[in-house]
Amino acid sequence: MKSRDELHQELRQTILSLPDVTERQNAGIHEDAFFVGRTMFMHIHGHGHCDIRLPKGDQSRVLAEGKARPHRWAPEAGYVTLIVDDEEDLQPAMDLIRMSHHYFADKQSVLRTGHQ
């Protein structure tokens, strides 16, 4: 069984392995904030408290399916919350993180193409 620190590091490294992702530690109130382009698509508070930004339709579906909880402060921005407490939580968290990354990476691609 992995420690909370090991889980947190594995989660961070997996997020950072996604294309064009950068991390800014202590970005505002977020300990670990992850960006694609200039857009923060998720952040982590403490060890494993993931706030993930989704398109509204995906947010509604994910909440209805019980895959995440509503974000406490910014649900209107599309955020959901998922806690990674153990190894079994990593894959479901990464599924939502990849969904978010894909959406915002595609938006960045459209923006870059539109400015050429």
Side-chain angles (χ1 to χ4, degrees), residues 12-41:
R12 283 183 61 253
Q13 291 308 311
T14 305
I15 295 165
L16 289 169
S17 73
L18 296 171
D20 302 318
V21 170
T22 58
E23 178 183 19
R24 294 186 204 152
Q25 293 185 340
N26 301 310
I29 63 168
H30 317 296
E31 292 181 29
D32 298 308
F34 299 90
F35 292 77
V36 61
R38 297 170 72 185
T39 303
M40 183 189 338
F41 69 98

Side-chain angles (χ1 to χ4, degrees), residues 29-84:
I29 63 168
H30 317 296
E31 292 181 29
D32 298 308
F34 299 90
F35 292 77
V36 61
R38 297 170 72 185
T39 303
M40 183 189 338
F41 69 98
M42 68 141 326
H43 53 268
I44 302 172
H45 298 280
H47 285 81
H49 183 117
C50 300
D51 292 328
I52 306 162
R53 189 173 172 200
L54 300 171
K56 288 292 195 175
D58 288 335
Q59 178 195 36
S60 297
R61 182 179 50 76
V62 163
L63 292 173
E65 293 172 355
K67 293 181 177 179
R69 300 187 314 218
H71 187 268
R72 187 172 176 182
W73 303 110
E76 70 283 348
Y79 280 100
V80 297
T81 298
L82 186 90
I83 309 295
V84 177

Side-chain angles (χ1 to χ4, degrees), residues 18-19 21 35-37 39-42 52-59 61 76-79 94-112:
L18 296 171
V21 170
F35 292 77
V36 61
T39 303
M40 183 189 338
F41 69 98
M42 68 141 326
I52 306 162
R53 189 173 172 200
L54 300 171
K56 288 292 195 175
D58 288 335
Q59 178 195 36
R61 182 179 50 76
E76 70 283 348
Y79 280 100
M94 283 309 303
D95 290 345
L96 296 183
I97 292 165
R98 284 187 186 97
M99 181 187 306
S100 175
H101 173 266
H102 179 75
Y103 176 76
F104 289 105
D106 281 354
K107 283 185 78 167
Q108 294 297 315
S109 178
V110 167
L111 289 174
R112 281 192 301 269

